[in-house]
Amino acid sequence: MKNDAIRLILASGSQTRLKLLKQSGIECACYPASVDEDGLKSHWKAEGRNVREVALKLAEEKACLVASQRCAQMSSEEHCLIIGADQMLECEGAWFDKPLNLDAAGAQLRSLRGRTHVLHSAVVLLDRTEIVWRHLSHATLTMRMFSDRFIEKYLQQEAENCLQCVGAYRVEGPGGQLFEHVGGDYSTILGLPLLPLLGELRKRDVLEF
Ligand SMILES: Nc1nc2c(ncn2[C@@H]2O[C@H](COP(=O)(O)OP(=O)(O)OP(=O)(O)O)[C@@H](O)[C@H]2O)c(=O)[nH]1
């Protein structure tokens, strides 16, 4: 890190996002932002907002909530930069959320097999109290027509791991067997457009050029 005076905070409970940052050599504190994602998604969908706008707005909400909870306690000399992120899954206009249980995961996989869905991954930076940077990347994934027997064995193998992910899969794990084709950046699939974020952190003197 170039500028130790800037405290980087990830406003997410996603261990996947934290791992992506740590593996890139980024030191950051991590505070989950308990926003009412389902309520906000329903509200914004009813307002006519599209899935991309909703992903960005959820990322902003998480960053703003953590800023109000954490940075407010910090002295004015301390400078905190907060990363907010969110990922939405859309398939032919329908929005999917993280499955609540393994039965729901099985139903979601049966619904998505043989079709192409899009993962929209949003990331924002909040500087002190203001959102100063927004980015959205997407990845397109086509699932093969896997059998019910495959789903049954996959869920036995993955179990709760697939409930942490919006698509009920970890592409880097057994979920890789679900796909016929994947197009898009790996980190975007995992929920954090890493290269655009690292570029912005360099521009803001958090990282060395
Ligand atoms: N390991 C892994 N995680 C994935 C994959 N695809 C999506 N995810 C995760 O699915 C989750 C998407 O749900 P979100 O609501 O954006 O994030 P979250 O996990 O609830 O965490 P918050 O930011 O606290 O809301 C994120 O944690 C992503 O990292 C994948 O292929 N592999």
Side-chain angles (χ1 to χ4, degrees), residues 12-14 16-17 37 62 85-87 98 164-166 169-172 189-190:
S12 174
S14 169
T16 300
R17 292 188 175 114
E37 289 196 40
K62 296 176 195 179
D86 190 74
Q87 186 179 54
K98 283 187 285 189
Q164 311 304 321
C165 305
V166 71
Y169 56 77
R170 296 183 299 160
V171 75
E172 75 279 18
I189 296 170
L190 266 61

Short mmCIF file of all heavy atoms in Angstrom, two decimals, residues 12-14 16-17 37 62 85-87 98 164-166 169-172 189-190, ligand 1:
data_model
loop_
_atom_site.label_atom_id
_atom_site.label_comp_id
_atom_site.label_asym_id
_atom_site.label_seq_id
_atom_site.Cartn_x
_atom_site.Cartn_y
_atom_site.Cartn_z
N SER A 12 -18.61 -5.20 3.18
CA SER A 12 -19.23 -6.43 2.66
C SER A 12 -18.92 -7.59 3.61
O SER A 12 -17.84 -7.64 4.17
CB SER A 12 -18.68 -6.74 1.26
OG SER A 12 -19.15 -8.00 0.80
N GLY A 13 -19.86 -8.50 3.67
CA GLY A 13 -19.63 -9.72 4.46
C GLY A 13 -19.14 -10.87 3.59
O GLY A 13 -19.02 -11.99 4.04
N SER A 14 -18.85 -10.53 2.34
CA SER A 14 -18.45 -11.57 1.39
C SER A 14 -17.00 -11.99 1.60
O SER A 14 -16.07 -11.20 1.33
CB SER A 14 -18.62 -11.06 -0.05
OG SER A 14 -18.02 -11.94 -0.97
N THR A 16 -15.53 -14.05 -0.17
CA THR A 16 -14.96 -14.15 -1.53
C THR A 16 -14.33 -12.82 -1.94
O THR A 16 -13.21 -12.77 -2.44
CB THR A 16 -16.06 -14.55 -2.53
OG1 THR A 16 -16.61 -15.81 -2.14
CG2 THR A 16 -15.52 -14.64 -3.94
N ARG A 17 -15.04 -11.74 -1.68
CA ARG A 17 -14.50 -10.40 -2.05
C ARG A 17 -13.27 -10.06 -1.21
O ARG A 17 -12.27 -9.56 -1.73
CB ARG A 17 -15.58 -9.34 -1.84
CG ARG A 17 -16.74 -9.43 -2.79
CD ARG A 17 -17.69 -8.27 -2.70
NE ARG A 17 -18.72 -8.37 -3.72
CZ ARG A 17 -20.00 -8.56 -3.45
NH1 ARG A 17 -20.41 -8.66 -2.18
NH2 ARG A 17 -20.89 -8.67 -4.41
N GLU A 37 -31.56 -5.78 1.63
CA GLU A 37 -31.40 -5.94 0.17
C GLU A 37 -32.71 -6.31 -0.50
O GLU A 37 -33.08 -5.75 -1.52
CB GLU A 37 -30.33 -6.99 -0.13
CG GLU A 37 -28.91 -6.54 0.20
CD GLU A 37 -27.84 -7.41 -0.45
OE1 GLU A 37 -28.04 -7.79 -1.62
OE2 GLU A 37 -26.82 -7.70 0.20
N LYS A 62 -24.60 0.02 0.87
CA LYS A 62 -23.73 -0.69 1.82
C LYS A 62 -22.56 0.20 2.24
O LYS A 62 -22.23 0.30 3.42
CB LYS A 62 -23.21 -1.98 1.18
CG LYS A 62 -24.27 -3.02 0.85
CD LYS A 62 -23.67 -4.22 0.13
CE LYS A 62 -24.70 -5.09 -0.51
NZ LYS A 62 -24.12 -6.25 -1.25
N ALA A 85 -19.94 -3.08 -2.63
CA ALA A 85 -20.09 -3.97 -3.79
C ALA A 85 -21.42 -4.70 -3.73
O ALA A 85 -21.99 -4.90 -2.65
CB ALA A 85 -18.94 -4.98 -3.83
N ASP A 86 -21.90 -5.08 -4.88
CA ASP A 86 -23.09 -5.94 -4.95
C ASP A 86 -23.10 -6.67 -6.28
O ASP A 86 -22.53 -6.20 -7.27
CB ASP A 86 -24.38 -5.12 -4.78
CG ASP A 86 -25.58 -6.06 -4.61
OD1 ASP A 86 -25.71 -6.64 -3.51
OD2 ASP A 86 -26.35 -6.24 -5.57
N GLN A 87 -23.76 -7.83 -6.25
CA GLN A 87 -23.87 -8.62 -7.48
C GLN A 87 -25.30 -9.08 -7.67
O GLN A 87 -25.94 -9.54 -6.73
CB GLN A 87 -22.96 -9.86 -7.38
CG GLN A 87 -22.88 -10.68 -8.64
CD GLN A 87 -21.96 -11.86 -8.50
OE1 GLN A 87 -22.13 -12.65 -7.57
NE2 GLN A 87 -20.98 -11.97 -9.37
N LYS A 98 -29.64 -15.05 -3.80
CA LYS A 98 -28.98 -16.21 -3.19
C LYS A 98 -30.07 -17.18 -2.68
O LYS A 98 -30.99 -16.73 -1.99
CB LYS A 98 -28.08 -15.76 -2.03
CG LYS A 98 -26.77 -15.14 -2.49
CD LYS A 98 -25.88 -14.89 -1.33
CE LYS A 98 -26.38 -13.69 -0.55
NZ LYS A 98 -25.40 -13.27 0.48
N GLN A 164 -24.02 -19.38 -0.42
CA GLN A 164 -23.36 -18.07 -0.23
C GLN A 164 -23.27 -17.29 -1.54
O GLN A 164 -22.82 -16.15 -1.57
CB GLN A 164 -21.92 -18.27 0.29
CG GLN A 164 -21.79 -19.21 1.48
CD GLN A 164 -22.65 -18.81 2.64
OE1 GLN A 164 -22.80 -17.62 2.94
NE2 GLN A 164 -23.31 -19.78 3.28
N CYS A 165 -23.67 -17.96 -2.64
CA CYS A 165 -23.43 -17.36 -3.96
C CYS A 165 -24.75 -17.12 -4.68
O CYS A 165 -25.64 -17.98 -4.65
CB CYS A 165 -22.57 -18.29 -4.81
SG CYS A 165 -21.03 -18.73 -3.99
N VAL A 166 -24.81 -15.99 -5.37
CA VAL A 166 -26.07 -15.57 -5.98
C VAL A 166 -26.57 -16.59 -7.02
O VAL A 166 -27.76 -16.75 -7.21
CB VAL A 166 -25.92 -14.15 -6.59
CG1 VAL A 166 -25.04 -14.17 -7.82
CG2 VAL A 166 -27.26 -13.51 -6.84
N TYR A 169 -23.66 -21.28 -7.19
CA TYR A 169 -22.45 -21.98 -7.63
C TYR A 169 -21.21 -21.16 -7.29
O TYR A 169 -21.27 -19.94 -7.19
CB TYR A 169 -22.47 -22.23 -9.14
CG TYR A 169 -22.64 -20.99 -10.00
CD1 TYR A 169 -21.58 -20.12 -10.23
CD2 TYR A 169 -23.87 -20.69 -10.58
CE1 TYR A 169 -21.73 -18.99 -11.01
CE2 TYR A 169 -24.05 -19.55 -11.35
CZ TYR A 169 -22.97 -18.71 -11.57
OH TYR A 169 -23.13 -17.58 -12.34
N ARG A 170 -20.11 -21.87 -7.12
CA ARG A 170 -18.78 -21.27 -7.04
C ARG A 170 -18.06 -21.70 -8.31
O ARG A 170 -17.75 -22.89 -8.48
CB ARG A 170 -18.02 -21.76 -5.82
CG ARG A 170 -18.64 -21.37 -4.47
CD ARG A 170 -17.78 -21.84 -3.32
NE ARG A 170 -17.65 -23.31 -3.32
CZ ARG A 170 -16.68 -23.96 -2.67
NH1 ARG A 170 -15.74 -23.29 -2.02
NH2 ARG A 170 -16.62 -25.28 -2.69
N VAL A 171 -17.84 -20.75 -9.20
CA VAL A 171 -17.29 -21.09 -10.52
C VAL A 171 -15.90 -21.72 -10.37
O VAL A 171 -15.49 -22.53 -11.21
CB VAL A 171 -17.28 -19.86 -11.44
CG1 VAL A 171 -16.16 -18.89 -11.06
CG2 VAL A 171 -17.22 -20.25 -12.91
N GLU A 172 -15.22 -21.37 -9.29
CA GLU A 172 -13.87 -21.92 -9.06
C GLU A 172 -13.91 -23.28 -8.40
O GLU A 172 -12.89 -23.92 -8.15
CB GLU A 172 -13.04 -20.95 -8.23
CG GLU A 172 -13.39 -20.91 -6.74
CD GLU A 172 -14.58 -20.06 -6.36
OE1 GLU A 172 -15.39 -19.73 -7.26
OE2 GLU A 172 -14.68 -19.71 -5.19
N ILE A 189 -17.15 -12.38 -12.03
CA ILE A 189 -18.02 -13.53 -11.69
C ILE A 189 -18.03 -13.74 -10.18
O ILE A 189 -19.07 -14.02 -9.58
CB ILE A 189 -17.53 -14.80 -12.40
CG1 ILE A 189 -17.66 -14.64 -13.92
CG2 ILE A 189 -18.32 -16.04 -11.95
CD1 ILE A 189 -16.99 -15.74 -14.72
N LEU A 190 -16.88 -13.53 -9.56
CA LEU A 190 -16.82 -13.75 -8.10
C LEU A 190 -17.42 -12.59 -7.32
O LEU A 190 -17.49 -12.60 -6.11
CB LEU A 190 -15.37 -14.00 -7.68
CG LEU A 190 -14.96 -15.48 -7.61
CD1 LEU A 190 -15.08 -16.16 -8.95
CD2 LEU A 190 -13.57 -15.66 -7.04
N1 LIG B 1 -16.60 -17.95 -4.34
C1 LIG B 1 -17.53 -17.50 -5.21
N2 LIG B 1 -18.43 -16.55 -4.79
C2 LIG B 1 -19.34 -16.12 -5.70
C3 LIG B 1 -19.39 -16.59 -7.03
N3 LIG B 1 -20.41 -15.94 -7.67
C4 LIG B 1 -20.98 -15.10 -6.78
N4 LIG B 1 -20.33 -15.20 -5.59
C5 LIG B 1 -20.65 -14.50 -4.34
O1 LIG B 1 -22.06 -14.32 -4.26
C6 LIG B 1 -22.31 -13.21 -3.42
C7 LIG B 1 -23.27 -12.28 -4.14
O2 LIG B 1 -24.15 -11.73 -3.19
P1 LIG B 1 -24.05 -10.19 -2.70
O3 LIG B 1 -25.35 -9.83 -2.11
O4 LIG B 1 -23.48 -9.33 -3.77
O5 LIG B 1 -22.93 -10.21 -1.55
P2 LIG B 1 -23.02 -10.91 -0.12
O6 LIG B 1 -22.21 -12.17 -0.14
O7 LIG B 1 -24.43 -11.02 0.37
O8 LIG B 1 -22.21 -9.90 0.80
P3 LIG B 1 -22.63 -8.38 1.11
O9 LIG B 1 -21.72 -7.51 0.26
O10 LIG B 1 -22.35 -8.23 2.59
O11 LIG B 1 -24.07 -8.21 0.74
C8 LIG B 1 -20.98 -12.51 -3.17
O12 LIG B 1 -20.46 -12.85 -1.90
C9 LIG B 1 -20.11 -13.09 -4.28
O13 LIG B 1 -18.74 -13.07 -3.92
C10 LIG B 1 -18.42 -17.59 -7.43
O14 LIG B 1 -18.42 -18.09 -8.57
N5 LIG B 1 -17.52 -18.00 -6.50
#
